Amino acid sequence: MNDRRTALITGITGQDGSYLAELLLSKGYRVVGMTRRTSTDVHERIGHLGDQIEIVSGDLLDQSSMTKIVEDIKPDEIYNLAAQSFVPTSWAQPVLTGEFTGLGVTRVLEAIRATRRPIRFYQASSSEMFGKVQDVPQTEHTAFYPRSPYGVAKVYGHWITVNYRESYDMYAVSGLLFNHESARRGREFVTRKISDGVARIKHGLARELRLGNLDARRDWGFAGDYVRAMWLMLQAQTPDDYVIATGRTHSVREFCRLAFAVADLDYERYVVEDPKFVRPAEVDLLIGDPAKAKRVLGWEPVTSFEDLVERMVRCDLARLQPLARV
Ligand code: NAP
Ligand code: G4F
């Protein structure tokens, strides 16, 4: 009898998808990733996994593709990581963000319900749902007050997950994950924009780095630590929702100061505040309390903020070294 477990990951080409795939492979899973059709290759983050993973084509906008994939693959666990995940884009494309990041969750849940199999489901919820924070630090009991169409869509995704758990007795959980970063982070997000910017300036490829609100504060962790929490949530005896965070907060300015220092540079000489990157509504302060995850799941972050910043900058310095002009 083959007791190898099968996991289906939507959003496998993203930052978290790539780390989660590595983690599940190391645990002996059969890993299947769902990707949408594109005319260009977007497999940069999972290319190194080669034929260790299977790829199937589907789209969270399309119910029939979701239902067929779940029926064919027969996963034991589904991790729904796919989303339009960049907050500023959600003001430019609010309807698409709602369709994909919000309603897309229902499509996966409906696909699971149609199979009548005991599939465990993880929904990638977000600290962005806390928005204009109602408690500091934020816990599983803090009321949501989203400040972007993205945050609003994620609130829908969270509650539909809770609703299917309660309505159909499904093992469905929502991970309230705070910002987590890595050298695989998309270059539009502020941490990677900074590490990439530092490397460009150090190598003579750029003269300045233009950013928005330097006083915004985030609870930043390492993505590799956070995918472990996703897996642990699906191994628990009972399905429940958890805040996953470090419990520490830092400003964008502090991130800049540390990141430029890794390359022996003073951020004040290079960072320019540009209103173009300031948002219509801002989330000023995010800080999560991961006590429940520690108590119930035994989860704790391992990587410190300082190590994360240093690793990201060193990776970008090495990546851009071949192009260096100085
Ligand atoms: P990411 O790097 O932006 O990856 C998003 C994934 O979703 C990619 O595989 C992307 O596929 C797919 N995707 C995006 N728009 C799509 C669309 N319209 N149709 C089909 N697929 C689409 O995000 P991440 O940082 O790994 O985050 C994973 C999940 O966790 C997301 O749901 C995000 O909202 C949530 N989250 C992230 C954080 C964080 O700090 N990273 C915190 C809380 C929650 P393509 O390659 O085809 O674009
Ligand atoms: O890196 P960010 O774009 O991440 P944001 O908006 O917090 O969203 C990320 O984390 C969420 C979890 O809370 C996820 F759900 C979401 O999918 C995504 O992964 O911006 C962080 C902060 C913001 O306050 C922003 O205003 O940095 C500030 N910032 C300042 N200058 C900037 C910039 N952000 C970006 N992207 N670019 C700037 O130039």
Side-chain angles (χ1 to χ4, degrees), residues 30-296:
R30 169 188 174 220
V31 176
V32 184
M34 190 195 86
T35 61
R36 54 181 165 159
R37 202 203 87 79
T38 51
S39 57
T40 51
D41 183 13
V42 292
H43 292 190
E44 186 188 331
R45 296 185 180 102
I46 51 170
H48 64 290
L49 298 177
D51 56 11
Q52 295 179 79
I53 56 174
E54 296 167 43
I55 297 295
V56 291
S57 180
D59 200 310
L60 283 197
L61 295 178
D62 181 57
Q63 182 69 59
S64 62
S65 67
M66 292 311 308
T67 307
K68 179 151 178 19
I69 286 171
V70 175
E71 192 62 54
D72 290 352
I73 301 297
K74 300 188 176 24
D76 299 290
E77 298 171 7
I78 297 182
Y79 296 85
N80 183 38
L81 308 186
Q84 189 303 96
S85 72
F86 189 46
V87 173
T89 297
S90 75
W91 277 285
Q93 300 176 0
V95 176
L96 183 66
T97 301
E99 278 284 351
F100 194 81
T101 304
L103 266 184
V105 186
T106 312
R107 296 194 184 96
V108 186
L109 289 164
E110 274 298 289
I112 295 173
R113 201 164 73 87
T115 69
R116 298 171 183 274
R117 286 166 50 85
I119 298 169
R120 295 191 167 200
F121 173 76
Y122 172 84
Q123 166 57 16
S125 293
S126 166
S127 52
E128 184 72 15
M129 304 188 313
F130 294 121
K132 191 170 177 184
V133 297
Q134 303 295 294
D135 292 325
V136 179
Q138 294 88 55
T139 72
E140 292 79 6
H141 301 293
T142 300
F144 300 136
Y145 193 141
R147 295 271 282 171
S148 61
Y150 167 83
V152 174
K154 282 287 182 186
V155 170
Y156 173 86
H158 168 82
W159 282 118
I160 200 70
T161 301
V162 173
N163 182 262
Y164 271 54
R165 178 167 80 217
E166 294 175 354
S167 303
Y168 304 116
D169 201 21
M170 282 172 52
Y171 194 112
V173 307
S174 168
L176 309 169
L177 269 56
F178 283 61
N179 298 50
H180 43 280
E181 320 293 315
S182 72
R184 296 183 197 169
R185 187 60 141 150
R187 283 198 283 275
E188 65 274 38
F189 298 94
V190 75
T191 56
R192 184 73 197 289
K193 186 173 169 183
I194 295 168
S195 64
D196 178 72
V198 169
R200 281 178 194 282
I201 291 168
K202 185 70 180 177
H203 290 320
L205 302 169
R207 294 217 181 112
E208 61 179 25
L209 175 62
R210 303 187 85 81
L211 295 174
N213 180 6
L214 298 184
D215 296 317
R217 300 185 74 83
R218 288 290 183 277
D219 179 332
W220 278 299
F222 169 54
D225 290 341
Y226 285 45
V227 298
R228 198 162 28 84
M230 298 175 187
W231 177 75
L232 284 169
M233 278 183 229
L234 291 197
Q235 312 314 309
Q237 205 149 23
T238 47
D240 206 348
D241 311 319
Y242 296 89
V243 161
I244 301 298
T246 70
R248 300 207 172 139
T249 187
H250 301 272
S251 65
V252 173
R253 190 184 302 281
E254 277 173 77
F255 196 106
C256 286
R257 188 175 51 72
L258 277 180
F260 277 83
V262 172
D264 296 321
L265 299 172
D266 175 1
Y267 84 94
E268 291 192 81
R269 289 187 54 201
Y270 302 100
V271 171
V272 178
E273 292 196 66
D274 185 337
K276 193 168 92 188
F277 297 110
V278 174
R279 301 176 179 186
E282 178 62 289
V283 172
D284 292 316
L285 166 68
L286 286 179
I287 176 164
D289 177 356
K292 178 176 166 187
K294 183 174 181 189
R295 193 178 68 250
V296 182

Side-chain angles (χ1 to χ4, degrees), residues 305-320:
F305 177 68
E306 291 74 15
D307 282 354
L308 174 67
V309 176
E310 179 165 353
R311 258 198 244 176
M312 289 179 70
V313 174
R314 293 213 182 282
C315 265
D316 277 322
L317 283 168
R319 184 179 58 86
L320 293 173

